[in-house]
Amino acid sequence: MHEMSIAMNIVDIAVQTAQKNGAHKINSITVEIGALSGVVPEALEFCFEAATKETMAEGCRLEIVYLKAQAECSACGFKFETDQFLNLCPQCGEQVFAAGGQQLQVKAINVD
Ligand SMILES: [Zn+2]
């Protein structure tokens, strides 16, 4: 499952950052997940606990900030948020491709 490797990657980044700052324990990790990143938040949460086993992040909370993609219609200029790459403009029915929403990054960690 590809969320497992993503979860391990997130834990790695958090542990490295915590160690650099002389922390002993990670309380929570905040990650931003874009709607078009292909990552399913529920699947990531499921893998996260296993990924933290026997690390200083064990038992820590995973806070997910889910970001929608932005779309702007080139025909009528209407702007809207979406979680799909291909959309139909709600205003005029034109095809609109979403931009952004692909991010997957560790935004913040809370340590002791
Ligand atoms: Zn439109």
Side-chain angles (χ1 to χ4, degrees):
M1 196 198 285
H2 105 132
E3 273 80 4
M4 190 66 214
S5 59
I6 292 167
M8 290 174 79
N9 194 18
I10 289 168
V11 172
D12 265 2
I13 291 168
V15 167
Q16 278 171 28
T17 308
Q19 280 171 344
K20 251 184 239 162
N21 290 285
H24 314 288
K25 189 181 183 318
I26 298 173
N27 297 320
S28 70
I29 303 174
T30 306
V31 292
E32 280 184 352
I33 297 178
L36 304 182
S37 65
V39 177
V40 180
E42 291 76 19
L44 184 62
E45 276 173 349
F46 182 77
C47 296
F48 182 75
E49 205 184 315
T52 60
K53 282 260 154 64
E54 288 163 26
T55 73
M56 71 161 83
E58 185 160 5
C60 94
R61 265 178 310 128
L62 176 66
E63 315 248 353
I64 294 176
V65 179
Y66 189 73
L67 300 170
K68 292 221 165 204
Q70 308 295 317
E72 182 174 356
C73 178
S74 57
C76 75
F78 188 73
K79 291 181 185 175
F80 56 98
E81 291 192 321
T82 177
D83 48 20
Q84 287 175 304
F85 180 60
L86 176 61
N87 305 272
L88 295 179
C89 174
Q91 192 139 293
C92 72
E94 193 70 23
Q95 277 191 7
V96 185
F97 295 103
Q102 271 141 357
Q103 55 276 75
L104 174 68
Q105 58 182 358
V106 176
K107 194 69 184 163
I109 64 169
N110 182 291
V111 296
D112 274 338

